[in-house]
Amino acid sequence: MRPTQPPTGERLVIVGNGMAGHRLVETLLARPERPAKITVIGAETAPAYNRILLSPLLAGEMERDALTLRNAEWYAEQGIELVLGERVETIDRAARRLTTDAGRRLGYDRLVLATGSNPARPPVPGLELPGVHVFRDLNDADALTRAAETGRNAVVIGGGLLGLEAAEGLRKRGQGQRGMQVSLLQRDDRLMNRQLDLTAARLLESELRSRGLDVRTGAQLECLEDGSDGRVCAVHLADGTRLPADCVVVAIGIVPNAELGRIAGLEVNRGVVVDEWLTTSDPAIHALGECCEHRGRTYGLVEPIWRQVEVLADRLCRPATERIAGYVEAPSATKLKVSGVSLYAFGPTEPEADHEVLSYRDPQQGDYRRLLLRNGRIEGAVFYGDTAAGPWYFEQALAGTDLSACRQALLLGAADAQALLDDAATDSPTSPVKEAA
């Protein structure tokens, strides 16, 4: 049944049918004040899908249909115009009209740029050779699947989350064929250096090596070599190492896809610059997610982008003159599952001089925990293996809770630490229990 549209003629166009753009659509549909006409334009031919699940798709652990968030029929049922396989090329801000590469012209009253990001590429000779891939969308996953099933040697450049997932996916997909040797290169001294301390990173590296991955940290890339057929055939490192490769994956990070905003004459730094209400330098145009920049920050994690969606939905559903709460940066915890290993981290990865460091390690269970405290309050944590208690520690960090009363139990788990906190509160001379007594 088609929902009743609100009595307003405002036309909203969302450029980008990725996770951020789709989340905005779902959020708007739940609000009675939503714009009457919503058009979504996606450059990919497939409707919105969960990019986070590209790794299990590559590994052969999930079917393609499981990634789809909503099929094309759903958009039609909701009264939303969905345009797929077309890329917006120009925005005429004066006329409030955009044009796609297929020649389609669409007018708008409000426009949202949710164009996502592009893979970062290092300035290395040979990166343009056939056989060099990135790992950002369904086409990339398909190309890497074919490479894993026919190739012998792969090199993945980048030891962050995406690089690890690509390497492990290639290794798993290559099993049962001729077997693919996968090398993972990390420029830093440890894997996932932005999330993990050295101990957790070494545990992760050891686990991946035990599965057959060739992990190389401190690896400085020099160039890619082309073979007699014009395709990539090897990767050269600065120390003289030559790694055979008929498949190379570049996974060193992302950069905001802000080109459309730049062409339109919007204010752009690394991303399309927005204010607290996700509004660009043009009051009729907003930007959301990985393509935007707020107070010098750009985005790659889901949690802050979902908060942006709520703010933008408020802005789109209320009069421009009405004051609403804006987007505010907030600490985020990183919860990851890398190749079957659970990780949870927040705050700094390296202790400062006045940090108290508490750590626990169980080699048999493969568990590791490290806390950074200042004046009894948690400022950072790394959990490897058993991460169930991670959210409790993050809550205490956000609340600024003084955990001195349960310091001896902090590494034992949330339940023991909370019990000591509760006992301390009960015994406090100013607690309600004491005063009643």
Side-chain angles (χ1 to χ4, degrees):
M1 179 178 176
R2 185 168 174 164
T4 302
Q5 296 289 356
T8 171
E10 186 166 80
R11 300 167 298 172
L12 171 67
V13 176
I14 301 173
V15 181
N17 191 219
M19 293 177 67
H22 179 74
R23 179 83 170 199
L24 178 61
V25 169
E26 295 259 14
T27 304
L28 289 173
L29 288 176
R31 305 191 180 200
E33 312 92 344
R34 66 184 180 273
K37 183 176 182 181
I38 301 175
T39 300
V40 179
I41 304 176
E44 295 186 65
T45 57
Y49 57 90
N50 189 340
R51 294 182 191 274
I52 297 172
L53 299 179
L54 284 173
S55 298
L57 176 67
L58 172 60
E61 300 168 348
M62 185 170 288
E63 295 298 324
R64 163 66 186 86
D65 290 346
L67 277 66
T68 301
L69 295 173
R70 298 286 188 177
N71 58 32
E73 289 73 20
W74 177 85
Y75 289 85
E77 291 169 358
Q78 303 301 319
I80 296 173
E81 180 184 15
L82 178 64
V83 179
L84 295 177
E86 295 186 28
R87 187 178 303 276
V88 176
E89 290 192 328
T90 60
I91 299 172
D92 184 337
R93 291 166 51 196
R96 293 194 178 183
R97 183 176 61 242
L98 54 82
T99 305
T100 73
D101 56 0
R104 185 191 303 265
R105 294 185 177 184
L106 290 170
Y108 66 87
D109 296 303
R110 297 279 192 96
L111 178 65
V112 175
L113 303 181
T115 50
S117 61
N118 294 317
R121 293 175 178 269
V124 175
L127 209 64
E128 74 289 344
L129 290 171
V132 179
H133 306 268
V134 293
F135 187 34
R136 288 292 294 165
D137 60 28
L138 286 171
N139 290 333
D140 298 331
D142 288 342
L144 290 177
T145 296
R146 293 191 296 271
E149 293 174 347
T150 59
R152 297 179 181 178
N153 299 287
V155 174
V156 177
I157 303 168
L161 175 63
L162 191 62
L164 266 63
E165 291 183 335
E168 183 67 356
L170 284 170
R171 184 193 67 80
K172 288 182 178 179
R173 179 68 74 164
Q175 289 177 338
Q177 309 294 324
R178 291 178 293 176
M180 173 172 268
Q181 175 61 47
V182 182
S183 296
L184 176 63
L185 309 182
Q186 167 68 322
R187 182 176 58 181
D188 204 88
D189 67 342
R190 62 182 182 267
L191 300 174
M192 297 188 67
N193 55 294
R194 294 185 178 181
Q195 292 88 16
L196 303 181
D197 66 357
L198 187 59
T199 299
R202 290 288 183 262
L203 288 170
L204 177 59
E205 180 178 337
S206 177
E207 171 63 25
L208 296 177
R209 287 183 181 277
S210 72
R211 300 180 186 185
L213 281 178
D214 173 31
V215 180
R216 297 171 182 256
T217 56
Q220 300 296 321
L221 195 62
E222 186 170 84
C223 68
L224 277 59
E225 177 186 342
D226 59 330
S228 57
D229 58 356
R231 295 178 57 84
V232 66
C233 68
V235 170
H236 290 261
L237 305 183
D239 64 3
T241 301
R242 180 184 184 274
L243 299 173
D246 40 53
C247 171
V248 173
V249 183
V250 181
I252 63 170
I254 58 175
V255 293
N257 183 11
E259 188 59 25
L260 184 58
R262 186 175 287 107
I263 292 171
L266 300 175
E267 183 182 354
V268 175
N269 290 327
R270 288 182 297 164
V272 179
V273 176
V274 297
D275 63 14
E276 284 75 10
W277 300 278
L278 289 305
T279 305
T280 70
S281 53
D282 184 327
I285 302 178
H286 307 267
L288 171 72
E290 292 176 344
C291 72
C292 80
E293 177 180 332
H294 174 250
R295 295 191 175 184
R297 296 190 61 172
T298 55
Y299 304 90
L301 297 177
V302 164
E303 184 179 340
I305 295 174
W306 278 191
R307 287 189 279 111
Q308 290 178 359
V309 165
E310 294 297 325
V311 172
L312 183 52
D314 281 345
R315 181 73 286 161
L316 294 172
C317 291
R318 299 184 186 183
T321 55
E322 183 177 342
R323 191 75 174 176
I324 65 169
Y327 173 77
V328 178
E329 296 290 352
S332 295
T334 303
K335 185 176 183 180
L336 308 168
K337 198 170 186 65
V338 182
S339 305
V341 177
S342 293
L343 305 167
Y344 190 96
F346 61 86
T349 57
E350 297 299 330
E352 297 179 3
D354 57 344
H355 273 140
E356 179 183 9
V357 181
L358 302 181
S359 62
Y360 163 85
R361 183 176 176 183
D362 183 344
Q364 288 188 332
Q365 296 297 321
D367 292 334
Y368 170 70
R369 304 166 198 165
R370 191 216 59 186
L371 306 176
L372 300 181
L373 292 91
R374 181 182 277 123
N375 299 324
R377 293 167 173 81
I378 295 179
E379 293 192 347
V382 174
F383 293 83
Y384 176 96
D386 182 1
T387 63
W392 182 86
Y393 291 90
F394 186 53
E395 289 175 8
Q396 308 313 308
L398 289 179
T401 306
D402 186 346
L403 300 171
S404 302
C406 63
R407 181 190 176 284
Q408 67 269 36
L410 272 178
L411 292 172
L412 300 180
D416 291 331
Q418 185 64 59
L420 285 178
L421 279 181
D422 294 342
D423 289 344
T426 301
D427 293 337
S428 170
T430 58
S431 71
V433 174
K434 278 289 184 182
E435 290 175 357

